[in-house]
Amino acid sequence: MSYFGTDGIRGNFGELPITPDFILKLGYVTGQVLIENNDNPARRPSVVIGKDTRLSGYVIEGALQAGFNAAGVDVHMLGPLPTPAIAHLTRSFNADAGVVISASHNPYYDNGIKLFSGDGKKLTDEMQNAINDKLKIIMSIGGNVSDNNNDLVMPILDPAQLGKNNRINDAKGRYIEFCKGSFPYQYDLSHLTVVVDCANGAGYSVAPRVMRELGANVIAINNTPDGLNINADCGSTHPEGLQKAVVEHEADVGIALDGDGDRIVMVDEAGNLVDGDGILYVLATQGQSKAKGVVGTLMSNMGLELALKADGIAFTRAKVGDRYVMHELEANGWILGGEPSGHILCLDKSRTGDAIIAGLQVLAVMQARGRALSDLVEGFEVLPQKLVNVRLSQMQDPFEHEELVTAFEKAQATLEGRGRLLIRQSGTEPMIRVMVESDDEIECDVLANDLADHIKAVLG
């Protein structure tokens, strides 16, 4: 059993694995792994911990801190900051790992843990497996004496060996300067009015400040988190409010983040949505230098692939998840990749997906070319796509049911040569995602909904 999904550990707060007891043990065993991998005995391992704005983050933060300290690891507390800020500050503080307390775009009642390695990238599979193995042992024993070696599962160290805590008061300022440093020095944003939807999440403070300090007239919305309103009908997963605000304020562009600030979607001056595929198209074809290649995912629209190939830019698909996009980028020696949902990797600017930095790169293209966002995406024609999420009572593999496999094969044959079918399990929720692309919009809608109904009928 693995406690880790495609993007860390996630679930409903108060239910395993997102309980204070489990999180305490997670901090402890992660600290043990860091100590075991520490090649400098004279230096105590350290981690940085940041979070989004969920109320449950306070409880999880305390439990993690206690677990790391008990294992003998120092902790730098960063407070509410976007996920990419924690990745950046992990490297900046020369920490051994970075920890993000967030459930990304999920509602407030969910929460989770993401781990970064010391170089600011997602944790390696080897280290994640080592943590998971220790978790399985400690959870199976339940904190009692081990039958194997009679050692305590969470032995109490000599108090002199416990870790210390340190709150970093200038964490926001450090990250803001890092973001601003990714924007070309010869430009500013003084001629732009930008609406920023902060999703009442981790970017509520830093995102508007970055834009303002670069000269933009900023209209911030959904920037008053109360611990419960994160992602609530706002942000990158609900951009309707941003689209309306851009038109009402006659703004030049709109930017929406998700709850933890690693996803971005944009809105042009007419209120039209530009998702992650559109952002990749702009940066690949009209950035400072044309991209050699772009990594998308299985969810990337076929229109992006066709548009890039028409411009002589290679395109390949990774599995869904930014860690797989990163792997393909490194394997090909490319720097640009992402997902339609708005995870955008610009490896010449940041080591992880960063909504603010990705947005700044699009604004830089707008300034350099003197063109509106609507003009920049003119060469990108999106094929009709329908995505239906089928929520289940518990996760099941649809490909284990012959009746469903037959239905999938029939649909794929119908779309052959002019569209795609993708059926995949969510890595974070008991949900099956059905995606259909076709040159016929009505067919897209009908086929996706029919398959979703069939899955629900069989799997419940």
Side-chain angles (χ1 to χ4, degrees):
M1 159 183 192
S2 177
Y3 290 103
F4 290 87
T6 56
D7 201 18
I9 300 173
R10 190 179 297 181
N12 287 72
F13 180 75
E15 301 176 9
L16 277 173
I18 309 300
T19 64
D21 177 64
F22 178 90
I23 299 298
L24 173 70
K25 293 171 180 175
L26 172 65
Y28 184 82
V29 300
T30 302
Q32 286 184 314
V33 171
L34 294 177
I35 290 171
E36 290 169 2
N37 286 272
N38 181 24
D39 56 7
N40 182 4
R43 174 182 170 275
R44 191 197 310 271
S46 66
V47 300
V48 300
I49 299 179
K51 60 183 180 178
D52 64 22
T53 56
R54 293 164 215 268
L55 198 58
S56 59
Y58 291 99
V59 179
I60 295 175
E61 183 181 48
L64 270 176
Q65 171 187 310
F68 279 118
N69 289 162
V73 173
D74 291 339
V75 175
H76 301 296
M77 312 293 288
L78 304 179
L81 275 177
T83 289
I86 283 77
H88 166 66
L89 292 170
T90 299
R91 296 178 63 210
S92 178
F93 281 96
N94 195 31
D96 296 270
V99 186
V100 181
I101 302 168
S102 177
S104 189
H105 58 284
N106 286 22
Y108 78 91
Y109 47 77
D110 289 339
N111 218 326
I113 306 291
K114 300 179 186 178
L115 298 172
F116 289 102
S117 62
D119 60 3
K121 299 180 181 179
K122 292 291 178 71
L123 209 62
T124 63
D125 289 340
E126 292 77 15
M127 186 163 284
Q128 182 172 292
N129 290 338
I131 294 169
N132 194 70
D133 288 344
K134 288 182 179 293
L135 274 174
K136 287 191 289 186
I137 294 172
I138 200 172
M139 293 303 292
S140 66
I141 297 172
N144 296 320
V145 176
S146 167
D147 294 330
N148 296 326
N149 53 25
N150 288 333
D151 290 332
L152 289 174
V153 175
M154 293 181 64
I156 304 302
L157 295 175
D158 177 341
Q161 301 300 315
L162 296 173
K164 300 177 181 179
N165 296 318
N166 176 34
R167 185 161 293 279
I168 309 300
N169 295 321
D170 64 343
K172 287 183 180 179
R174 286 171 178 251
Y175 176 62
I176 287 169
E177 291 303 313
F178 172 67
C179 291
K180 288 162 57 181
S182 74
F183 192 77
Y185 71 91
Q186 67 268 38
Y187 303 124
D188 62 42
L189 302 177
S190 59
H191 300 296
L192 294 180
T193 295
V194 183
V195 182
V196 181
D197 184 344
C198 303
N200 292 313
Y204 79 96
S205 174
V206 294
R209 283 180 59 185
V210 169
M211 303 299 165
R212 287 194 182 103
E213 292 184 20
L214 286 171
N217 173 33
V218 176
I219 299 164
I221 62 175
N222 300 309
N223 62 327
T224 55
D226 62 9
L228 306 177
N229 60 0
I230 184 170
N231 298 315
D233 298 320
C234 60
S236 64
T237 54
H238 299 280
E240 301 83 9
L242 176 64
Q243 292 173 286
K244 182 179 179 181
V246 168
V247 173
E248 286 181 348
H249 291 282
E250 297 182 348
D252 298 288
V253 68
I255 293 173
L257 315 181
D258 70 339
D260 72 328
D262 64 354
R263 293 189 188 193
I264 177 176
V265 298
M266 301 184 73
V267 171
D268 70 18
E269 73 284 357
N272 299 309
L273 185 66
V274 178
D275 68 2
D277 284 347
I279 292 170
L280 286 176
Y281 173 77
V282 171
L283 297 180
T285 62
Q286 297 158 87
Q288 286 182 306
S289 59
K290 185 191 290 189
K292 294 180 180 178
V294 173
V295 176
T297 73
L298 297 173
M299 300 298 289
S300 298
N301 191 276
M302 188 180 290
L304 175 62
E305 181 176 356
L306 297 174
L308 292 177
K309 287 185 176 179
D311 214 334
I313 299 172
F315 179 81
T316 190
R317 296 179 186 271
K319 291 194 293 184
V320 174
D322 55 346
R323 70 186 299 152
Y324 301 112
V325 175
M326 172 71 82
H327 177 78
E328 286 296 320
L329 286 173
E330 292 178 336
N332 287 282
W334 300 341
I335 61 173
L336 182 63
E339 304 181 87
S341 61
H343 279 125
I344 306 295
L345 287 157
C346 305
L347 296 187
D348 58 334
K349 306 296 182 183
S350 177
R351 288 189 160 226
T352 189
D354 191 315
I356 296 174
I357 286 179
L360 288 177
Q361 305 321 301
V362 175
L363 297 181
V365 175
M366 291 172 61
Q367 292 295 83
R369 294 184 175 264
R371 302 178 68 192
L373 180 57
S374 59
D375 295 330
L376 297 178
V377 295
E378 278 184 346
F380 172 40
E381 183 177 346
V382 179
L383 286 186
Q385 183 185 86
K386 180 69 175 182
L387 175 64
V388 181
N389 293 321
V390 184
R391 186 169 291 277
L392 307 176
S393 57
Q394 61 182 10
M395 182 58 81
Q396 300 179 62
D397 185 353
F399 290 96
E400 291 182 353
H401 296 262
E402 186 176 347
E403 177 183 348
L404 291 176
V405 171
T406 300
F408 300 157
E409 290 175 348
K410 181 179 178 181
Q412 190 70 266
T414 300
L415 295 167
E416 188 67 33
R418 56 188 186 83
R420 296 192 304 136
L421 169 66
L422 178 64
I423 308 290
R424 75 177 189 92
Q425 302 175 56
S426 169
T428 57
E429 307 172 79
M431 184 179 290
I432 305 298
R433 306 191 193 280
V434 180
M435 191 274 286
V436 176
E437 283 179 356
S438 169
D439 54 7
D440 184 326
E441 188 169 2
I442 295 176
E443 179 184 49
C444 252
D445 189 80
V446 171
L447 196 53
N449 281 294
D450 284 351
L451 289 171
D453 291 343
H454 200 165
I455 291 170
K456 186 68 175 177
V458 174
L459 302 185

